[in-house]
Amino acid sequence: MSKQRQGLLITGDAPVQFTFEGQRFSGLPGDTLASALLANGQWLQSRSFKYHRPRGPLSLSGQDANTLVQLGPEPNVLADRTPLSEGLSASGQNYVGSLAKDGDSRLGFFGRFMPVGFYYRAFYKPRGIWDRWEKVIRKKAGLGVLDTQREAGYHDKQYLFCDIAVVGAGPAGLAAALRAADAGASVLLIEQDPYIGGSLAWHRYDVQGGAAAAMLADLRRVEAHPRIRTLTDATCNAWFADHYLPVIQGTRLYKVRAKQTVLASGALEQHVVFHNNDLPGIVLCSAAERMLALYGITPGNKALVLAGNDQSCRSALTLADAGVQVSAVVDMRASPDDPALLQALSERAIRYIPGHTVYSARGSGSQGRISQAEIRPITAPGEVGNTAETIDCDLLCMSSGYMPAWQLPCQAGAKLSYQDEVAGFRLSGQAAGVHLAGSVNNIFTAEAVVKDGERAAAAALAALGYDVDVPESVSCALRPNYDWPMFAHPKGKEFVDFDEDLQLRDIVNATRMGYRDIQLVKRFSTVGMGPSQGRHSALPTARLVAKATGRTISETGVTTARPPFAPEKVAHNAGRVLHPYRQTPMHHRHLEAGAHMVPVGDWQRPAYYGQPDQARHCIESEAMHVRNAVGLIDVGTLGKIELRGPDAAELLNRLYTASFDNMEIGSTRYAIMTNEHGVVIDDGVACRLGETHFYITATTSGVTRVYRAMTQWNAQWRLDVDILNVTGAFAAVNLAGPLSHKVLAAAGTDVDISAAGFPYLAYREGQVAGISARLMRVGFVGELGYEIHVPARYGEALWDALIKAGRAFGIKPFGVDTQRLLRLEKGHLIVGQDTDGMSHPGELNLNWAVDRKKPFFVGQRSVAIMKREQTQRHLVAFELPAGSETPAEGLLVLEGAEVSGKITSCAYSPTLDKVIGLAWASSAHKKPGSQIVIKSAGGEPLTATVVKLPFYDKALSRQEIQA
Amino acid sequence: MPFSLLKYGLRKDYPFEEDADIPSAHKLRDSYDVVIIGGGGHGVATAYYLAKYHGITNVAILEKGYLGGGNTARNTAVIRSNYLTPEGVRFYGASVELFQGLSNEFDFNIMYSRRGQLTLAHTESAVSAFRQRAEINTHYGGKSALIGPDEIRKLVPCLNMNPAHMPVLAGLWHIDGATARHDAVAWGFAKGATQRGVELHQLTEVTGVDVENGKVTGVQTNRGKVRCGCVVQAVAGHSALMAEKAGFRLPITVYPLQAMVTQPVKPFIDPLVSSPALHCYVQQTGRGEIVLGSGSDPYPLYNTRSTLPLKESLLSNAVALFPFMSQLRMLRQWAGITDITSDYSPIMGLSPVQGYYLDAGWGTWGFKSTPICGKTMAELVAGGGTVPDLIKPFSLERFERFAQINEMGATAASH
Ligand SMILES: Cc1cc2nc3c(=O)[nH]c(=O)nc-3n(C[C@H](O)[C@H](O)[C@H](O)COP(=O)(O)OP(=O)(O)OC[C@H]3O[C@@H](n4cnc5c(N)ncnc54)[C@H](O)[C@@H]3O)c2cc1C
């Protein structure tokens, strides 16, 4: 390179070495991968999706799919958004062989045999053949390759808050930010490019040049403004309800909560549709301007400009002033709007050819770069005459106009309507608090854009309660859109959608095949479904479909703009992938004791103490120990809810099936909760602490739902009661076994724990080992036992004290799997395991827990009806003799050839020396003594006997202190 | 290259009139034998089978938007039959069977792709639940098995077996699990139905239902009144609203359901993989995109907006299962409104209004049933209200009898 490149973004002159397609290149600090490649004359950067055509940058601003490359393990990376770094190594993607010699490029020749939607019309005859074709086609689809061994590395998230978020730091956004911040509002200014100023930084707004720079100098005041925080290189990727904005910068996702949003997100320059309009070297005018101003790259030696507006004519001036030879400006219009342009062009000896278009282009050389353009006169919309002229060129800059960046506004509820006078779409009707400014609002002259920014900011300020005048809406007479920039060619390849390789006739043919709605056109042809999501195809498609179906362009519309605006990494949304789990205060004690921990709801709990390969042995010996001596289990994961207030009992009356009115203070009651369908959804133990004070447990995984149901219902009922979920505030253990009262006594308590002083199902408060505790005499595992709840911070101390006191009695901890076995022996069911989403109290033998005299509880009507109806099924207890196999939970219960139920719980009971279980079966078999047939794992029938519960301690004596 | 493609390249004027899959708009007549409300997959499938098997072609499908533009367009196309109840397994199993022949039946490729579906169990209780589903499925002739970690590793080598402190203990491997090009299913049915004389009216919204003496006599639309002998309502998310117009209520709650898709990459995963515990399922489409889905939004709402919290939780769970997916790029996020019943089974059959037939309550799982629904609803109509055995259990009055078909455990995040 003879001359050092000078560009706004070029920050140094020390060469940066990198490789592309295995070839070594050198760029400059501040380059993107794409700009560095262009500086090296490497225009060919990708292969197209379907026909594998050579492609180079189109927008050079991350708005098209032509620069998607594979960056190490990462597929589909936009080269024009990737900062160059020393040693960077990238390659093209989606080719066979190499980017330059893609074996699949011959697919283009077969294009005529692959009409739009061709895959719906072939590959399935004869039946079965599709299975084979599918594999071939799947391999051809997809762009880059994902390395399944690599992760994206560290990504995180941060919340930000502001009064007004301004999206886009072009003239409109800068003016809006200043207006808002000067008035006292806090402003977050979000810009996807690495610099502020937007088009002011590279576009020529006047014939002389220089106006933009002067204007930008004024607006730069944002940089030092104390109330403006500017994020550059940051993309606001969506507008979510209530101004919740995801902004991606580097590896961080900012989650922005704004009170108002100003969308100054600009407009997307549009291409012209002609034969071979996708060759490398054919770019949008703005891309050529960016190359010059941002990166100091001379985009070509011999340029041609295909103009649809004055903007593109001014680009020609810029190119010429930068030393590019501009052969001609081919203007689709009859004349420029600003007559001064003709003078300026002729001063630079640039031919001006009005009323013409480029009709086709030819590429040559190893990169397939444009070398010639054929121009023809336009005779009618979309039609050309026969006189052709061929012009040599290595750069073609085109602009047919602009499409407002409609994505965020539409997510905020705006609608697009097409206006024939300006040949473009206009946005309106966005949600309250969202203000459009600048070219997204169809305002194009620099002065008007600034005014519009200030107007939008004033509107936002007014909505925030600032005392400001909101100016009238700004008008702009400029008409930058050419209304029919599409020219069909007998050979096709006039691309409407570059991402998906869709040509003009593909869109028209989709409508002719019956897919007339714009949404159907999209779905059938895949137009707009590629990585750039229709940025350049939406407008031409709307025009083509409208014409083909005889509707207006407004009626036709464009397809919904879904978030995200720009492709974003999964890693940005996933963040640090934190999956916290909850642990009880005794967690470390369990680990020290060798517990096998398992997930239960959000918690980790000991399943048993010992190695997984010894699981059965551990569980059985822990169980025997509880039966014969004493055990201790951490039940701190139980849900715990505190209810206080005059209506506490009434709330429980309405939510649980039991009656709580006459419940004595100092007692407990088993409580089941049903939903409106009468289905049992949770159970727990309610304790009455005082006249207006209850404490109720809920299942570990159900408590969140229970708590939500309580607050939700009470929002309707408005009872005088406070509801508090204190699950995490209390630690809890169950001290169980015939020796448990001795351990409790040894640990020291001021509660009278004599048989008479603390009877079964009573509730007491007092000290245990010096810790204030709530005690319940419950018998879930079927032995004498005390559930002890203490403030969470004393959980470990309580555990230690009981283990220490219990040492003399041989105390051992036991896990949740052991508890499951013990409660099964006792015949207690577990909601969720033994019930399903349809289980009624009656089917579960729980009618005793339903109060029949209460006026109301949720689900009462259903429960009553169910009680009257003959239920089809019943949860039964069954036994198999010792020595028989233990059928696994989930195996089926059969009634002849039909399935009538399943096993919900089953285990070998060491206490009883037989196999016991609970199962759903036809209610015909609910009587003890009848037989049910289980389909064993091997498929053979296994006959089990239905028995009466409980399996263990039918005399109900074990729950008392043993003599 | 298949022979069938040659003709397109060799014919100059392609496509001809007769190549159209969907005919252009008709005049809406003032009377039909059958009116079908809703031009989603279910509506057009019903019309197709009415025409094909019962010779009933004086049928109008009235669609307020565009063909297949409701949940049919938004769904993630999981097709499977590994349900929890005998009724469900039989019904969905029959659907899977029909699906396999549709491309050839339509002469239109729906790209049915049998990939197998793997549902992951992270807890012992999930293992038992999956065992039950495998058993029920096999009992009724389906193809499902409970498999262990080693087999899972073989099927999906790139899966993280210990995601989010929830080790993968086992998996429900459903060999029949499949996917298809969802739009093409609606188009294929529409093509077959309209070729046989059924009229498809898009941009035609039903605004009222005329009922006389407890019998339906017609509907009102934005294009005028239409008389008819009977009506099939197949409007998915709008089921409850439509039923209200006909004068009765449905036990349906409406929740938004979201899904999202990434940019396409070369194929790396074959089966559909889902983790109910992590509220996440993942599959790679024929185009190479990864489609991701989750459970419904947590509160009832008639709105199809996307939300950031769901995207964050779904993607962080997806990354827990497949850490390398963190490198993928998101392309689109969207939502549909789904009609959920309390037992997660559909409502099919008779309604309180005579001649007004229901196909509703399809919630988050009704794409897979499109063909069998169409077939059985057509039988119902053709039989003058005699309910086919296959759908008897799904009647509306089951809720009065508390004879629900509980599929809650088999639905969740697997759809
Ligand atoms: C995100 C998402 C993912 C899903 N994933 C799956 C999946 O993987 N597998 C699966 O099996 N299912 C899935 N589903 C569910 C599935 O999409 C639906 O159950 C199924 O598509 C319903 O089909 P349908 O034809 O009844 O409904 P739709 O396709 O919604 O058709 C109903 C039609 O009725 C029209 N309509 C409504 N009101 C009126 C009116 N008044 N007049 C005229 N027309 C009207 C609507 O415009 C609509 O086109 C998913 C759903 C969603 C939203």
Side-chain angles (χ1 to χ4, degrees), chain B residues 130-173:
Chain B
F130 288 2
R131 182 178 295 114
Q132 179 196 358
R133 280 167 67 184
E135 289 288 329
I136 291 226
N137 228 220
T138 336
H139 191 79
Y140 291 102
K143 297 191 191 78
S144 287
L146 189 66
I147 61 173
D150 290 340
E151 276 171 281
I152 293 175
R153 267 187 216 102
K154 255 183 246 151
L155 281 170
V156 191
C158 56
L159 178 72
N160 173 16
M161 296 296 285
N162 194 3
H165 323 290
M166 307 237 276
V168 175
L169 303 180
L172 180 62
W173 175 230

Short mmCIF file of all heavy atoms in Angstrom, two decimals, chain B residues 130-173:
data_model
loop_
_atom_site.label_atom_id
_atom_site.label_comp_id
_atom_site.label_asym_id
_atom_site.label_seq_id
_atom_site.Cartn_x
_atom_site.Cartn_y
_atom_site.Cartn_z
N PHE B 130 -41.70 -41.48 33.38
CA PHE B 130 -41.33 -41.86 32.01
C PHE B 130 -41.48 -43.37 31.81
O PHE B 130 -41.80 -43.83 30.73
CB PHE B 130 -39.88 -41.45 31.72
CG PHE B 130 -39.70 -39.97 31.56
CD1 PHE B 130 -40.78 -39.10 31.72
CD2 PHE B 130 -38.46 -39.44 31.23
CE1 PHE B 130 -40.62 -37.73 31.58
CE2 PHE B 130 -38.29 -38.08 31.08
CZ PHE B 130 -39.36 -37.22 31.26
N ARG B 131 -41.22 -44.10 32.88
CA ARG B 131 -41.40 -45.55 32.77
C ARG B 131 -42.85 -45.84 32.42
O ARG B 131 -43.16 -46.63 31.54
CB ARG B 131 -41.00 -46.25 34.07
CG ARG B 131 -41.12 -47.75 34.00
CD ARG B 131 -40.67 -48.44 35.27
NE ARG B 131 -39.26 -48.25 35.54
CZ ARG B 131 -38.76 -47.57 36.58
NH1 ARG B 131 -39.58 -47.01 37.46
NH2 ARG B 131 -37.47 -47.45 36.75
N GLN B 132 -43.73 -45.13 33.12
CA GLN B 132 -45.16 -45.33 32.85
C GLN B 132 -45.48 -45.00 31.38
O GLN B 132 -46.19 -45.75 30.71
CB GLN B 132 -45.98 -44.43 33.78
CG GLN B 132 -47.48 -44.57 33.54
CD GLN B 132 -48.26 -43.42 34.16
OE1 GLN B 132 -47.69 -42.54 34.80
NE2 GLN B 132 -49.56 -43.45 33.98
N ARG B 133 -44.93 -43.89 30.89
CA ARG B 133 -45.25 -43.52 29.51
C ARG B 133 -44.70 -44.53 28.52
O ARG B 133 -45.34 -44.87 27.53
CB ARG B 133 -44.71 -42.12 29.23
CG ARG B 133 -45.62 -41.05 29.78
CD ARG B 133 -44.97 -39.70 29.79
NE ARG B 133 -44.72 -39.19 28.45
CZ ARG B 133 -44.08 -38.05 28.21
NH1 ARG B 133 -43.64 -37.33 29.22
NH2 ARG B 133 -43.87 -37.64 26.98
N ALA B 134 -43.47 -45.01 28.79
CA ALA B 134 -42.89 -46.01 27.90
C ALA B 134 -43.77 -47.26 27.90
O ALA B 134 -44.06 -47.84 26.85
CB ALA B 134 -41.48 -46.35 28.35
N GLU B 135 -44.23 -47.65 29.11
CA GLU B 135 -45.04 -48.87 29.22
C GLU B 135 -46.37 -48.71 28.49
O GLU B 135 -46.79 -49.60 27.76
CB GLU B 135 -45.30 -49.18 30.70
CG GLU B 135 -44.07 -49.66 31.46
CD GLU B 135 -43.67 -51.07 31.06
OE1 GLU B 135 -44.55 -51.88 30.71
OE2 GLU B 135 -42.46 -51.36 31.10
N ILE B 136 -47.03 -47.58 28.72
CA ILE B 136 -48.34 -47.37 28.08
C ILE B 136 -48.18 -47.35 26.58
O ILE B 136 -48.94 -47.97 25.84
CB ILE B 136 -48.97 -46.03 28.55
CG1 ILE B 136 -49.37 -46.13 30.01
CG2 ILE B 136 -50.15 -45.65 27.67
CD1 ILE B 136 -50.73 -45.59 30.33
N ASN B 137 -47.17 -46.62 26.14
CA ASN B 137 -46.92 -46.51 24.72
C ASN B 137 -46.71 -47.86 24.08
O ASN B 137 -47.32 -48.19 23.06
CB ASN B 137 -45.67 -45.66 24.53
CG ASN B 137 -45.87 -44.58 23.51
OD1 ASN B 137 -45.00 -44.31 22.72
ND2 ASN B 137 -47.06 -44.00 23.49
N THR B 138 -45.85 -48.66 24.70
CA THR B 138 -45.56 -49.98 24.13
C THR B 138 -46.79 -50.86 24.20
O THR B 138 -47.06 -51.63 23.28
CB THR B 138 -44.41 -50.65 24.92
OG1 THR B 138 -43.64 -49.63 25.54
CG2 THR B 138 -43.53 -51.46 24.04
N HIS B 139 -47.53 -50.72 25.29
CA HIS B 139 -48.72 -51.55 25.46
C HIS B 139 -49.69 -51.35 24.30
O HIS B 139 -50.35 -52.30 23.87
CB HIS B 139 -49.41 -51.20 26.78
CG HIS B 139 -50.47 -52.17 27.18
ND1 HIS B 139 -50.18 -53.39 27.75
CD2 HIS B 139 -51.83 -52.13 27.06
CE1 HIS B 139 -51.31 -54.05 27.98
NE2 HIS B 139 -52.32 -53.31 27.57
N TYR B 140 -49.76 -50.12 23.79
CA TYR B 140 -50.69 -49.87 22.69
C TYR B 140 -49.99 -49.80 21.34
O TYR B 140 -50.45 -49.15 20.41
CB TYR B 140 -51.50 -48.59 22.96
CG TYR B 140 -52.47 -48.78 24.10
CD1 TYR B 140 -52.18 -48.27 25.37
CD2 TYR B 140 -53.63 -49.51 23.93
CE1 TYR B 140 -53.07 -48.46 26.42
CE2 TYR B 140 -54.51 -49.72 24.98
CZ TYR B 140 -54.23 -49.20 26.23
OH TYR B 140 -55.09 -49.40 27.25
N GLY B 141 -48.83 -50.43 21.26
CA GLY B 141 -48.19 -50.59 19.95
C GLY B 141 -47.27 -49.46 19.53
O GLY B 141 -46.75 -49.47 18.42
N GLY B 142 -47.05 -48.49 20.40
CA GLY B 142 -46.13 -47.39 20.06
C GLY B 142 -44.69 -47.82 20.26
O GLY B 142 -44.40 -48.93 20.69
N LYS B 143 -43.79 -46.89 19.94
CA LYS B 143 -42.38 -47.23 20.06
C LYS B 143 -41.69 -46.27 21.02
O LYS B 143 -41.25 -45.19 20.63
CB LYS B 143 -41.70 -47.17 18.69
CG LYS B 143 -42.26 -48.17 17.71
CD LYS B 143 -41.40 -48.27 16.46
CE LYS B 143 -42.09 -49.06 15.38
NZ LYS B 143 -43.13 -48.28 14.69
N SER B 144 -41.64 -46.66 22.28
CA SER B 144 -40.98 -45.84 23.30
C SER B 144 -40.23 -46.74 24.25
O SER B 144 -40.64 -47.87 24.49
CB SER B 144 -42.01 -45.07 24.13
OG SER B 144 -42.56 -44.03 23.38
N ALA B 145 -39.16 -46.23 24.81
CA ALA B 145 -38.42 -47.02 25.79
C ALA B 145 -37.75 -46.08 26.78
O ALA B 145 -37.42 -44.94 26.46
CB ALA B 145 -37.36 -47.86 25.09
N LEU B 146 -37.60 -46.60 27.99
CA LEU B 146 -36.85 -45.87 29.00
C LEU B 146 -35.40 -46.27 28.81
O LEU B 146 -35.07 -47.45 28.85
CB LEU B 146 -37.35 -46.29 30.39
CG LEU B 146 -36.83 -45.49 31.57
CD1 LEU B 146 -37.35 -44.07 31.51
CD2 LEU B 146 -37.27 -46.16 32.87
N ILE B 147 -34.54 -45.28 28.57
CA ILE B 147 -33.14 -45.64 28.33
C ILE B 147 -32.23 -44.96 29.35
O ILE B 147 -32.59 -43.95 29.94
CB ILE B 147 -32.68 -45.28 26.90
CG1 ILE B 147 -32.80 -43.78 26.66
CG2 ILE B 147 -33.48 -46.04 25.87
CD1 ILE B 147 -32.20 -43.33 25.34
N GLY B 148 -31.04 -45.54 29.52
CA GLY B 148 -30.11 -45.05 30.53
C GLY B 148 -29.10 -44.07 29.93
O GLY B 148 -29.07 -43.83 28.73
N PRO B 149 -28.25 -43.52 30.81
CA PRO B 149 -27.28 -42.51 30.39
C PRO B 149 -26.38 -42.95 29.23
O PRO B 149 -26.08 -42.14 28.35
CB PRO B 149 -26.46 -42.26 31.65
CG PRO B 149 -27.38 -42.63 32.77
CD PRO B 149 -28.24 -43.74 32.25
N ASP B 150 -25.98 -44.22 29.22
CA ASP B 150 -25.07 -44.63 28.15
C ASP B 150 -25.72 -44.52 26.78
O ASP B 150 -25.13 -44.02 25.83
CB ASP B 150 -24.58 -46.07 28.37
CG ASP B 150 -23.64 -46.13 29.56
OD1 ASP B 150 -23.11 -45.06 29.93
OD2 ASP B 150 -23.47 -47.23 30.13
N GLU B 151 -26.95 -44.98 26.72
CA GLU B 151 -27.66 -44.89 25.45
C GLU B 151 -27.92 -43.44 25.06
O GLU B 151 -27.88 -43.08 23.88
CB GLU B 151 -28.98 -45.66 25.53
CG GLU B 151 -28.82 -47.14 25.26
CD GLU B 151 -30.09 -47.88 25.58
OE1 GLU B 151 -30.34 -48.13 26.79
OE2 GLU B 151 -30.84 -48.18 24.64
N ILE B 152 -28.20 -42.63 26.07
CA ILE B 152 -28.44 -41.21 25.79
C ILE B 152 -27.20 -40.58 25.18
O ILE B 152 -27.25 -39.86 24.20
CB ILE B 152 -28.85 -40.47 27.08
CG1 ILE B 152 -30.21 -40.96 27.54
CG2 ILE B 152 -28.85 -38.96 26.87
CD1 ILE B 152 -30.67 -40.41 28.86
N ARG B 153 -26.05 -40.90 25.76
CA ARG B 153 -24.80 -40.35 25.24
C ARG B 153 -24.60 -40.75 23.79
O ARG B 153 -24.10 -39.98 22.98
CB ARG B 153 -23.62 -40.85 26.08
CG ARG B 153 -23.27 -39.89 27.18
CD ARG B 153 -21.99 -40.29 27.90
NE ARG B 153 -22.14 -39.97 29.30
CZ ARG B 153 -22.41 -40.84 30.26
NH1 ARG B 153 -22.50 -42.13 29.98
NH2 ARG B 153 -22.56 -40.44 31.50
N LYS B 154 -25.00 -41.97 23.47
CA LYS B 154 -24.82 -42.43 22.09
C LYS B 154 -25.74 -41.66 21.14
O LYS B 154 -25.35 -41.30 20.04
CB LYS B 154 -25.11 -43.93 22.00
CG LYS B 154 -23.83 -44.74 21.87
CD LYS B 154 -24.14 -46.21 21.71
CE LYS B 154 -23.64 -46.98 22.92
NZ LYS B 154 -24.40 -48.17 23.22
N LEU B 155 -26.95 -41.42 21.59
CA LEU B 155 -27.92 -40.73 20.71
C LEU B 155 -27.58 -39.26 20.53
O LEU B 155 -27.72 -38.71 19.44
CB LEU B 155 -29.33 -40.82 21.32
CG LEU B 155 -30.08 -42.12 21.14
CD1 LEU B 155 -31.33 -42.12 22.00
CD2 LEU B 155 -30.44 -42.30 19.68
N VAL B 156 -27.16 -38.63 21.61
CA VAL B 156 -26.87 -37.19 21.57
C VAL B 156 -25.52 -36.94 22.24
O VAL B 156 -25.45 -36.53 23.38
CB VAL B 156 -27.96 -36.37 22.29
CG1 VAL B 156 -27.80 -34.88 22.00
CG2 VAL B 156 -29.35 -36.83 21.89
N PRO B 157 -24.46 -37.21 21.50
CA PRO B 157 -23.13 -37.11 22.13
C PRO B 157 -22.84 -35.71 22.66
O PRO B 157 -22.04 -35.57 23.58
CB PRO B 157 -22.18 -37.46 20.99
CG PRO B 157 -23.00 -38.06 19.91
CD PRO B 157 -24.40 -37.60 20.09
N CYS B 158 -23.47 -34.71 22.12
CA CYS B 158 -23.11 -33.34 22.52
C CYS B 158 -23.90 -32.87 23.74
O CYS B 158 -23.78 -31.72 24.15
CB CYS B 158 -23.31 -32.38 21.35
SG CYS B 158 -24.96 -32.39 20.67
N LEU B 159 -24.69 -33.75 24.34
CA LEU B 159 -25.51 -33.34 25.49
C LEU B 159 -24.68 -33.30 26.77
O LEU B 159 -23.88 -34.20 27.03
CB LEU B 159 -26.66 -34.33 25.67
CG LEU B 159 -27.60 -34.10 26.84
CD1 LEU B 159 -28.50 -32.89 26.58
CD2 LEU B 159 -28.48 -35.33 27.08
N ASN B 160 -24.86 -32.24 27.56
CA ASN B 160 -24.23 -32.18 28.88
C ASN B 160 -25.06 -33.04 29.84
O ASN B 160 -26.23 -32.75 30.08
CB ASN B 160 -24.19 -30.73 29.36
CG ASN B 160 -23.70 -30.60 30.79
OD1 ASN B 160 -23.12 -31.54 31.34
ND2 ASN B 160 -23.93 -29.44 31.38
N MET B 161 -24.46 -34.08 30.37
CA MET B 161 -25.22 -35.02 31.19
C MET B 161 -25.44 -34.53 32.61
O MET B 161 -26.13 -35.18 33.39
CB MET B 161 -24.51 -36.39 31.23
CG MET B 161 -24.42 -37.07 29.88
SD MET B 161 -26.04 -37.50 29.18
CE MET B 161 -26.46 -38.92 30.19
N ASN B 162 -24.83 -33.41 32.97
CA ASN B 162 -25.04 -32.90 34.32
C ASN B 162 -25.37 -31.41 34.29
O ASN B 162 -24.62 -30.57 34.77
CB ASN B 162 -23.81 -33.15 35.18
CG ASN B 162 -24.11 -32.96 36.65
OD1 ASN B 162 -25.26 -32.68 37.03
ND2 ASN B 162 -23.10 -33.07 37.48
N PRO B 163 -26.52 -31.07 33.69
CA PRO B 163 -26.83 -29.65 33.55
C PRO B 163 -27.46 -29.09 34.82
O PRO B 163 -28.29 -29.73 35.45
CB PRO B 163 -27.87 -29.64 32.41
CG PRO B 163 -28.54 -30.97 32.53
CD PRO B 163 -27.55 -31.93 33.14
N ALA B 164 -27.06 -27.90 35.18
CA ALA B 164 -27.74 -27.15 36.24
C ALA B 164 -27.97 -27.98 37.50
O ALA B 164 -29.05 -27.97 38.07
CB ALA B 164 -29.07 -26.61 35.71
N HIS B 165 -26.98 -28.70 37.96
CA HIS B 165 -27.08 -29.55 39.16
C HIS B 165 -28.16 -30.60 39.05
O HIS B 165 -28.69 -31.05 40.05
CB HIS B 165 -27.34 -28.73 40.43
CG HIS B 165 -26.64 -27.43 40.46
ND1 HIS B 165 -25.29 -27.35 40.60
CD2 HIS B 165 -27.11 -26.17 40.36
CE1 HIS B 165 -24.94 -26.08 40.57
NE2 HIS B 165 -26.01 -25.35 40.42
N MET B 166 -28.57 -30.90 37.83
CA MET B 166 -29.64 -31.87 37.67
C MET B 166 -29.18 -32.98 36.73
O MET B 166 -29.49 -32.95 35.54
CB MET B 166 -30.88 -31.19 37.10
CG MET B 166 -31.29 -29.99 37.89
SD MET B 166 -32.95 -30.15 38.45
CE MET B 166 -33.79 -29.58 37.05
N PRO B 167 -28.44 -33.92 37.26
CA PRO B 167 -27.88 -34.96 36.39
C PRO B 167 -28.97 -35.67 35.59
O PRO B 167 -30.08 -35.88 36.08
CB PRO B 167 -27.21 -35.92 37.38
CG PRO B 167 -27.74 -35.56 38.72
CD PRO B 167 -28.13 -34.14 38.67
N VAL B 168 -28.64 -36.02 34.37
CA VAL B 168 -29.58 -36.77 33.55
C VAL B 168 -29.54 -38.22 34.01
O VAL B 168 -28.51 -38.89 33.93
CB VAL B 168 -29.18 -36.67 32.06
CG1 VAL B 168 -30.07 -37.56 31.21
CG2 VAL B 168 -29.24 -35.22 31.60
N LEU B 169 -30.66 -38.69 34.54
CA LEU B 169 -30.70 -40.05 35.08
C LEU B 169 -31.16 -41.06 34.04
O LEU B 169 -30.73 -42.21 34.03
CB LEU B 169 -31.65 -40.12 36.28
CG LEU B 169 -31.35 -39.19 37.45
CD1 LEU B 169 -32.37 -39.37 38.55
CD2 LEU B 169 -29.94 -39.44 37.98
N ALA B 170 -32.08 -40.62 33.20
CA ALA B 170 -32.63 -41.53 32.20
C ALA B 170 -33.33 -40.70 31.14
O ALA B 170 -33.42 -39.48 31.25
CB ALA B 170 -33.62 -42.49 32.85
N GLY B 171 -33.80 -41.38 30.13
CA GLY B 171 -34.51 -40.67 29.08
C GLY B 171 -35.65 -41.49 28.54
O GLY B 171 -35.61 -42.73 28.57
N LEU B 172 -36.67 -40.81 28.08
CA LEU B 172 -37.77 -41.48 27.40
C LEU B 172 -37.46 -41.36 25.91
O LEU B 172 -37.51 -40.26 25.35
CB LEU B 172 -39.09 -40.82 27.75
CG LEU B 172 -40.34 -41.42 27.10
CD1 LEU B 172 -40.54 -42.87 27.54
CD2 LEU B 172 -41.57 -40.59 27.45
N TRP B 173 -37.12 -42.47 25.30
CA TRP B 173 -36.73 -42.46 23.89
C TRP B 173 -37.92 -42.90 23.06
O TRP B 173 -38.36 -44.05 23.13
CB TRP B 173 -35.52 -43.36 23.68
CG TRP B 173 -35.08 -43.53 22.26
CD1 TRP B 173 -34.83 -44.71 21.63
CD2 TRP B 173 -34.80 -42.50 21.29
NE1 TRP B 173 -34.42 -44.48 20.34
CE2 TRP B 173 -34.40 -43.13 20.10
CE3 TRP B 173 -34.86 -41.10 21.32
CZ2 TRP B 173 -34.06 -42.42 18.95
CZ3 TRP B 173 -34.52 -40.39 20.17
CH2 TRP B 173 -34.13 -41.05 19.02
#
